[in-house]
Amino acid sequence: MPEMSAFPDVPVIQYEGPQSDNPLAFRWYNPDEIVEGKTMKDHLRFSIVYWHTFRGTGADPFGPGTADRPWDDGSESVENAQNRARVAFELFEKLQAPYYAFHDRDVAPEGATLAGSHQNFDAVADVLVEEQQRTGVKLLWGTANMFSNPRFMHGAATSCNADVFAYAAAQVKKAMEVTQRLGGENYVFWGGREGYQNLYNTDMKRELDHLAAFFHMAVDYAKEIGFTGQFLIEPKPKEPTKHQYDSDAAACLNFLRAYDLMDHFKLNLETNHATLAGHTMMHEIDYSGAQGALGSIDANTGDMLLGWDTDQFATDYYLTTQTMYYILKHGGLGSGGVNFDAKVRRESFEPIDLFHSHIGSMDAFAKGLKVAAAIRADQGIGGVIKQRYQSWDSGIGAEIESGSIGFAQLEAYMLEKGEVEANSSGRQELLENLVNRYLDRV
Ligand code: XUL
Ligand code: CO
C-alpha cells in the first residue's frame, strides 16, 4: 500500500460469502473459485476505468460537479495527475481489480501544444509504470480522447478538416506507444464524434474512407513498433453525435469487412450502448461472438426510463447472467475483460461510494458467471435449441445446409410432400423459468 492512504478506513476487500452483511466485502466474487475449469479472476478480468472513477466530477448539463475527492487539488498540474495516479492504484488494489483502463487525457493534462501534451503523458506514465510494478495491476487497454477538445467538433478521423485527422493520428500514435510501454493488452477506438449531426453538410462516403485509412495507419504503426495488443472498436449509435458510424456490432463488422480490416479488430461491447442501439447486450455479444469478433466488454447499464447513456453500475442479476452466459458460449473474453465503464450517481459524492459501486457490480458479475455456468451444465437451453433445429440435422435440412440443392429441388420436394411437418413450441416461458430456477439455486 502507498505511504499516504487516501482510503484509510477501507481494507482490501475480501470474499465473505453470500450471507455476509459487510458492505465492504465480496459476497460472490471469490477470485480463486473455479468455474468451468477456470478461476473467477481469469473469467472476469475486472478492470476499473480512470475517467469516471478518477476524473468524473458528477457534473451534468444542469449543474457542476459534486464529487468530494480530497486527494485531488482540482488543478491541471502534472503533479496533481501523478498524485491522483497513486491514489487510483490504492483503489485498484483494495478492490482486488487486476486491470484498469484510461484515455490519454484522463491520466495526464493536455499541454499548450501537442509536444507539451506528449511530455505530460510521459511524466504521468512514469508513475503508472511504478505503480503497476508495485501492485501487479495491469493495463487492460489504453485509448485516446478525441472528442472533448473543441478541435474535434467535426470529428477526428472523420473530420472535414484534414489537419484534425493529422492531429488525431499524432495523438493515437502516442497513446499506442504509451499503451505498449505499460504492457496494455488491448487498444480501443471509440468514435465519439465519428459521425454526423446532419447529412446535408456531410460527405459520408468520404468520411468512412478516411476512418478506414486511419485504422489501416494504426495497424501499420502497431506492426512497426511491435505492439501486439488487440485492437478493439467500441460500438455506440449516438451521443454525442446524432449518428455514430460505429453504431452497433453489425455496423462495425460490416465496416471492418468492407475495408479489409477484419483480421485486425475485435469489438468492445458496452451494455448501455447496446440498449441505445435498440439491442440487448446478449444480442451484441452473440452477434460478435458468432463472427469471431468478441473482444471485451464495457460493463454498465442504462436506466429503463431514460434514453441516454447513464453509465450506471450493473447490479441486475438477469443482465449479468445473460452477459456471462453469452460470453461463456463464445469461449470467454480472451485478452479482454469486464471493464466497469460506469459512474457513481451525482448524489453519491463520497469516496466510499466508489467502493460500494464496484463491489456490488463485481459481485453481480460473479453471481452471473456462476448462474450462467449452472444453466449451461443443465443443458436445458441447449436441449431446447437442439430440438428446435433438429430438422436441419438430416434429410432436406442437411441437404440445404450442405449447399448441394437449390430452388428447383426444393420445389419438387415440397410439391411431393404437399405441406410442412407440424411446428413445435418455442418454449420461451419454460426457458425463462429455467433461468429463474438457477438464479434461486446458485
Ligand atoms: C463513451 C464511452 C467511452 C469509451 C472509451 O460512451 O463508452 O468512455 O469507453 O472512449
Ligand atoms: Co465505453
Side-chain angles (χ1 to χ4, degrees):
M1 289 296 148
E3 283 161 31
M4 280 281 292
S5 171
F7 312 106
D9 302 330
V10 181
V12 175
I13 307 302
Q14 303 293 342
Y15 173 71
E16 291 185 4
Q19 301 310 321
S20 174
D21 288 326
N22 178 359
L24 295 178
F26 293 123
R27 298 189 312 114
W28 294 101
Y29 182 52
N30 186 11
D32 297 324
E33 187 176 328
I34 305 288
V35 179
E36 289 198 7
K38 221 160 82 173
T39 62
M40 279 195 171
K41 184 177 173 194
D42 288 344
H43 274 290
L44 294 163
R45 297 166 58 84
F46 284 131
S47 166
I48 295 180
V49 306
Y50 217 92
W51 51 101
H52 290 311
T53 300
F54 286 94
R55 304 314 307 277
T57 62
D60 71 12
F62 299 90
T66 54
D68 179 18
R69 304 288 181 255
W71 57 85
D72 199 309
D73 68 16
S75 77
E76 285 296 316
S77 73
V78 170
E79 203 193 342
N80 188 31
Q82 289 174 325
N83 184 45
R84 188 191 292 124
R86 295 196 177 91
V87 174
F89 275 80
E90 185 188 348
L91 178 131
F92 305 157
E93 259 189 302
K94 288 191 162 168
L95 283 167
Q96 292 202 54
Y99 289 97
Y100 73 112
F102 64 68
H103 300 86
D104 47 3
R105 303 301 179 242
D106 307 328
V107 288
E110 186 146 8
T113 61
L114 180 64
S117 298
H118 283 1
Q119 236 172 32
N120 293 350
F121 198 9
D122 285 333
V124 180
D126 291 344
V127 176
L128 297 174
V129 167
E130 269 173 43
E131 288 294 300
Q132 287 187 193
Q133 281 167 357
R134 183 182 69 73
T135 61
V137 174
K138 296 187 278 189
L139 180 63
L140 186 67
W141 48 263
T143 189
N145 176 333
M146 302 190 295
F147 43 88
S148 295
N149 189 291
R151 79 174 66 84
F152 298 116
M153 65 172 72
H154 299 299
T158 64
S159 174
C160 47
N161 180 344
D163 263 7
V164 176
F165 183 105
Y167 197 103
Q171 208 178 313
V172 169
K173 174 177 176 291
K174 182 69 184 174
M176 280 170 60
E177 289 163 5
V178 174
T179 299
Q180 183 184 32
R181 179 181 171 203
L182 297 172
E185 298 183 22
N186 307 270
Y187 185 90
V188 165
F189 293 89
W190 171 61
R193 295 191 193 274
E194 310 293 30
Y196 59 81
Q197 298 294 359
N198 192 309
L199 262 184
Y200 290 157
N201 66 8
T202 302
D203 188 336
M204 181 153 63
K205 169 75 167 65
R206 205 165 181 184
E207 292 199 0
L208 287 168
D209 288 350
H210 294 166
L211 187 58
F214 194 91
F215 287 145
H216 275 289
M217 287 181 198
V219 168
D220 291 345
Y221 191 63
K223 267 191 209 132
E224 200 179 318
I225 63 173
F227 175 64
T228 53
Q230 175 67 50
F231 279 138
L232 300 170
I233 294 188
E234 183 175 325
K236 183 174 182 181
K238 55 191 166 190
E239 195 200 12
T241 55
K242 173 192 173 74
H243 176 86
Q244 215 156 288
Y245 293 133
D246 302 331
S247 55
D248 64 2
C252 287
L253 293 173
N254 178 60
F255 171 86
L256 291 171
R257 206 167 263 123
Y259 287 100
D260 198 20
L261 286 159
M262 275 296 279
D263 290 346
H264 306 288
F265 285 80
K266 290 185 177 177
L267 302 182
N268 179 36
L269 302 166
E270 178 163 328
T271 322
N272 207 165
H273 296 180
T275 48
L276 281 176
H279 304 307
T280 58
M281 182 62 164
M282 58 180 171
H283 166 94
E284 289 291 81
I285 295 171
D286 205 30
Y287 193 95
S288 308
Q291 304 201 37
L294 172 60
S296 194
I297 66 163
D298 271 10
N300 62 17
T301 187
D303 183 295
M304 202 206 302
L305 301 178
L306 301 177
W308 64 89
D309 194 11
T310 56
D311 282 340
Q312 289 168 233
F313 282 89
T315 53
D316 181 320
Y317 291 151
Y318 286 100
L319 173 63
T320 57
T321 296
Q322 291 171 353
T323 302
M324 294 315 301
Y325 184 90
Y326 284 92
I327 288 173
L328 290 177
K329 174 182 169 184
H330 291 290
L333 290 170
S335 68
V338 173
N339 179 53
F340 291 111
D341 193 354
K343 60 188 176 203
V344 289
R345 298 302 86 191
R346 186 169 191 265
E347 302 79 9
S348 305
F349 61 91
E350 296 177 11
I352 194 71
D353 295 307
L354 297 174
F355 286 91
H356 296 155
S357 54
H358 284 96
I359 291 168
S361 210
M362 289 166 86
D363 268 345
F365 275 93
K367 169 138 178 164
L369 170 64
K370 291 186 72 162
V371 178
I375 295 170
R376 278 159 57 81
D378 173 285
Q379 294 290 314
I381 291 186
V384 168
I385 291 178
K386 188 155 179 36
Q387 205 214 333
R388 282 191 84 212
Y389 292 88
Q390 70 184 4
S391 66
W392 296 89
D393 294 337
S394 59
I396 196 74
E399 282 184 65
I400 298 170
E401 281 195 352
S402 74
S404 60
I405 57 172
F407 271 8
Q409 291 93 331
L410 290 170
E411 184 192 40
Y413 166 81
M414 218 59 243
L415 283 172
E416 195 191 324
K417 201 162 184 182
E419 188 46 86
V420 300
E421 264 168 41
N423 276 307
S424 55
S425 164
R427 300 273 184 256
Q428 176 175 330
E429 296 78 4
L430 176 86
L431 295 182
E432 286 167 349
N433 296 349
L434 183 139
V435 169
N436 276 2
R437 199 191 310 151
Y438 282 98
L439 274 159
D440 290 342
R441 281 184 192 167
V442 168

